[in-house]
Amino acid sequence: MPYHRLMAGPIRPARIGLLLTHLGSRAAENLAAKTRELGITPPEAGVVRVLGSRSGVNQRELAEMLGVAKSRVVSLVDSLEAAGLVNRERSTSDRRNQVLMLTEDGRALLAKLSIAAEAQDADLAQGLSAADRSHLYELLLKLDDGVGLERDVRRGVRARE
Amino acid sequence: MPYHRLMAGPIRPARIGLLLTHLGSRAAENLAAKTRELGITPPEAGVVRVLGSRSGVNQRELAEMLGVAKSRVVSLVDSLEAAGLVNRERSTSDRRNQVLMLTEDGRALLAKLSIAAEAQDADLAQGLSAADRSHLYELLLKLDDGVGLERDVRRGVRARE
DNA sequence: TATTGTTATACTCTATAACTATA
DNA sequence: TATAGTTATAGAGTATAACAATA
């Protein structure tokens, strides 16, 4: 049982924040299971998603985007490279930088991750009408835009495209 | 950065599942911070919440409700007992059982946790109208009732009162 | 000297398995 | 023999700090 989920506990939450914690944790575990079926760990999937839209970043930039230590990125990229999903290449202009890019296999895996996310959404939507579903999506986007929770330190880095 | 949140990454999610993962993780971290300000860890807060509505359970039952190993409950209750928030008492009918109950301080802390959750909801709601907010809550409840994500193994144990 | 990446090390959270006491 | 709780140990995931290479 993950750390945060233990906090929410088995009691049906009476507030939006607790309910969001509860449902978000369930959704995360569900998506993590689908991710592992594709042969990578959830954090590795995060790296693949970022490189899908931000090709060519170096490891320090990736660490900042993910909000993790640069040493963490080393081991994540190590395994992705060993699996043939990510390419590491020393920059010719500054040989300190490792330029990261998805390989062809990496892009194929990213496509499978997207399909898995779509499948999860179909599962989630089972109890909801189409109208409910799109309304929920809009409300969640509004929540994401809200200033209520202290924003990510790395907010400025978030990809919006 | 927690394990599951690394999966969601810094990219604004285009699907409900990923968005829920992202927002749920943010809400969890926000609530965890408020929890720590009250002097306990997030998992300990989970125990306090359960004991608030299920007073008198033993440690095995608590472990099942939380979905953790019984050895985990030992250390959680150890610290809560040391902090004077939970009372451990051998059952007179079966001396193998430790009967768990909140102390007066424990109940006071539970009240503070509720207030913190209310404060978080107020923060969250900042960007939403009252109508949006209640609609969102209803949609999230529907999602929680949906059969889409595989249900908790411990579903039957969830408190609904 | 400052920065990128790497390695070495340690810490937190949790589970598994062995053990004790009670039934 | 079976069950509740405890203790001992191990593993996963992550961060911090020291180091190497490049600028």
Side-chain angles (χ1 to χ4, degrees), chain A residues 52-65:
Chain A
S53 62
R54 296 289 178 113
S55 197
V57 297
N58 66 28
Q59 295 186 191
R60 174 191 55 76
E61 290 165 338
L62 182 56
E64 271 177 21
M65 289 182 213

Side-chain angles (χ1 to χ4, degrees), chain B residues 43 67-69 71-72 94-96:
Chain B
V68 299
S71 61
R72 180 87 186 93
D94 184 341
R95 295 189 41 72
R96 289 174 302 183

Side-chain angles (χ1 to χ4, degrees), chain A residues 83-103:
Chain A
L85 300 169
V86 165
N87 205 272
R88 232 181 198 146
E89 202 174 314
R90 288 282 169 189
S91 164
T92 50
S93 58
D94 184 342
R95 294 189 43 71
R96 287 175 302 184
N97 290 264
Q98 295 273 38
V99 176
L100 304 175
M101 279 183 308
L102 292 181
T103 63

Side-chain angles (χ1 to χ4, degrees), chain B residues 23-91:
Chain B
L23 289 170
S25 192
R26 287 240 315 268
E29 285 167 29
N30 180 273
L31 199 58
K34 294 185 198 296
T35 298
R36 289 194 200 91
E37 282 169 19
L38 293 174
I40 62 174
T41 67
E44 286 163 8
V47 170
V48 169
R49 286 201 190 86
V50 171
L51 293 184
S53 61
R54 295 290 178 115
S55 196
V57 298
N58 66 29
Q59 295 187 190
R60 174 190 55 76
E61 290 165 337
L62 182 56
E64 271 177 21
M65 289 182 212
L66 295 172
V68 299
K70 55 189 178 170
S71 61
R72 180 87 186 93
V73 167
V74 173
S75 53
L76 285 172
V77 173
D78 275 353
S79 22
L80 288 169
E81 191 182 29
L85 300 168
V86 165
N87 206 273
R88 234 181 197 143
E89 202 173 314
R90 288 281 169 189
S91 164

Side-chain angles (χ1 to χ4, degrees), chain A residues 6 9 12 22 24 31 42 45 50-51 55 59 62 65 77 86 90 95 105 113 115 125 127 145 150:
Chain A
L6 255 179
R12 172 178 250 186
H22 177 76
L31 200 58
V50 171
L51 293 184
S55 197
Q59 295 186 191
L62 182 56
M65 289 182 213
V77 174
V86 165
R90 288 282 169 189
R95 294 189 43 71
D105 282 359
L113 284 171
I115 290 170
D145 280 332
E150 56 259 28

